Amino acid sequence: MSPADQRARDDSRRQVLEAELATEEGALTAAEQALAEQESVRMGDERNYQKVLDRLQPFKDKVELHKRNIEALRREISGLR
């Protein structure tokens, strides 16, 4: 494989990863907004704070998942340089 072919392949891969990164960043923003909305709501049956925590956990998990994905994509992009 020639250096030009390798560079073209690397550039293509970088574009794909940067597009994925942009998608993940958008998903993170949406997940953070959903979490904030849920934190501001208090259901009538949630007198016990543990019920609030249990309800919020899936939203927190989604935020963490997107953060980990973003970190992994950034590491992969930085490794291409």
Side-chain angles (χ1 to χ4, degrees):
M1 181 180 294
S2 74
D5 290 340
Q6 183 65 41
R7 169 152 313 276
R9 209 173 104 208
D10 289 347
D11 288 345
S12 175
R13 180 157 171 71
R14 178 175 283 112
Q15 288 174 349
V16 169
L17 290 172
E18 287 175 352
E20 287 180 29
L21 179 61
T23 300
E24 278 297 320
E25 288 172 337
L28 174 60
T29 300
E32 287 173 333
Q33 288 173 344
L35 175 60
E37 287 172 15
Q38 290 299 313
E39 286 175 334
S40 68
V41 172
R42 190 72 180 247
M43 305 291 179
D45 66 342
E46 293 179 337
R47 289 182 183 84
N48 179 347
Y49 191 64
Q50 186 60 46
K51 287 185 179 184
V52 175
L53 295 177
D54 291 345
R55 179 174 56 84
L56 294 177
Q57 194 58 51
F59 294 94
K60 291 179 181 180
D61 291 346
K62 199 170 207 175
V63 168
E64 285 305 310
L65 172 67
H66 291 302
K67 285 182 179 180
R68 285 193 307 271
N69 288 346
I70 287 169
E71 287 173 18
L73 286 166
R74 286 186 177 153
R75 275 195 308 274
E76 201 165 338
I77 289 169
S78 70
L80 291 176
R81 298 194 171 139

